Amino acid sequence: MSENIFDPHVKDIAWCPGCGNFPIRKIMLEMLEELELDPVNTVMVSGIGQAAKSPQYIQANYFNGLHGRALPPATAMKAANPELTVIVESGDGDMYGEGGNHFLHAIRRNPDITAVVHNNMIYGLTKGQASPTTSKGMKTPVQINGVFLEPFNPLAAAIALDASFVARANALDQDKTKEIIKKAVQHKGFALVDVFQICVSFNKVNTAKWFKEHTYYLDEQHDTSDRSAAFSRAIEQDKLPLGIFYEQKNKPVFEESFPLYQKDKSPLFQRTLNKEALEKIAAEKTE
């Protein structure tokens, strides 16, 4: 068997034994290899959290930023170099909580990036507080009387904002999840894949058994171009659908909307700096 060039063979991984991040890491490594991506032109981006450590365990370029701030630098990287494959990997707290505002506006901008969200419905790094996707009634060390807030529904929000690719997967269904993420990476535009995963230390409710009993896969009759049908499926609560909900293939992407790339497709680092023009602009701004 050939070596997976994306696997750095890290021995000391800072996740609990049995953590749902392990199968997602395996899926990501296989996905990157099978799509024959070039590590030199691949960038993994994350914020803060257990899931946000994932890019440290993949042999590619990575940017590990502030809590909830993965999407803005990912968008900027794609805008500066459209030839890159940019993949954001973070958790439900980082992406939907601290990064919630960025999540909404990344969807509106539609950069050609993929967001893989590890959704274990709990804050793992800070030891078990309710996250934006924690179910009502769950008791935690902070919410001792049970969560009373309505859980954030990322798929419904994304479809309502007309995101160009929206999907949900289960980390324990590795083959199906890998195929969904492959399609997300190959999609041109902002692609969201919300991946259910277990947290063996701090979420004793949403176990592997729970996810198996409370999910089902969308069948071939589901029309991924039908936004209304996708939204209806996204607000189902029991059972929760898995698969590709919605895809819009011809929506303009953020980076190609700039005049900057209309005549010249080369990334910024390959262009010659016009110092005379830059100095003229600087002089005008200091007057």
Side-chain angles (χ1 to χ4, degrees), residues 48-258:
I48 297 295
Q50 292 292 1
K53 297 174 183 174
S54 297
Q56 300 176 36
Y57 309 135
I58 292 176
Q59 188 70 39
N61 302 292
Y62 81 86
F63 180 89
N64 188 197
L66 300 174
H67 207 179
R69 306 299 189 265
L71 289 170
T75 302
M77 290 171 201
K78 191 68 182 180
N81 186 354
E83 295 177 358
L84 294 173
T85 297
V86 181
I87 301 172
V88 175
E89 213 181 340
S90 260
D92 48 300
D94 184 67
M95 190 72 73
Y96 305 142
E98 288 78 8
N101 192 42
H102 298 304
F103 175 70
L104 300 180
H105 293 288
I107 293 171
R108 291 181 57 237
R109 295 186 180 103
N110 196 39
D112 185 16
I113 64 177
T114 303
V116 177
V117 184
H118 299 215
N119 186 357
N120 58 11
M121 305 180 180
I122 204 78
Y123 278 101
L125 184 68
T126 47
K127 305 191 184 306
Q129 301 94 332
S131 82
T133 57
T134 302
S135 301
K136 275 185 174 180
M138 181 188 287
K139 293 182 179 179
T140 78
V142 175
Q143 290 80 22
I144 58 174
N145 294 317
V147 174
F148 58 85
L149 299 180
E150 186 70 25
F152 179 66
N153 185 329
L155 278 75
I159 295 167
L161 287 166
D162 203 23
S164 61
F165 185 101
V166 182
R168 182 161 57 203
N170 181 347
L172 298 178
D173 294 338
Q174 296 203 10
D175 290 341
K176 291 180 178 177
T177 297
K178 182 169 63 178
E179 293 308 310
I180 290 171
I181 296 176
K182 276 184 180 178
K183 290 178 180 175
V185 173
Q186 292 172 319
H187 171 80
K188 188 171 183 177
F190 182 84
L192 168 67
V193 184
D194 184 78
V195 184
F196 285 152
Q197 66 158 114
I198 57 172
C199 176
V200 294
S201 297
F202 301 111
N203 188 340
K204 305 298 185 183
V205 175
N206 305 111
T207 61
K209 182 174 181 290
W210 187 94
F211 282 121
K212 186 173 183 179
E213 292 177 347
H214 290 81
T215 60
Y216 75 95
Y217 279 92
L218 296 168
D219 61 28
E220 295 179 354
Q221 302 301 315
H222 176 67
D223 180 0
T224 58
S225 68
D226 187 335
R227 187 178 171 198
S228 296
F231 187 83
S232 295
R233 292 301 184 101
I235 61 174
E236 291 180 9
Q237 296 189 8
D238 195 19
K239 296 180 176 182
L240 299 164
L242 302 171
I244 299 173
F245 286 63
Y246 182 59
E247 184 173 16
Q248 185 183 171
K249 296 183 178 179
N250 299 313
K251 188 172 184 178
V253 297
F254 176 72
E255 55 275 12
E256 291 182 357
S257 299
F258 291 113

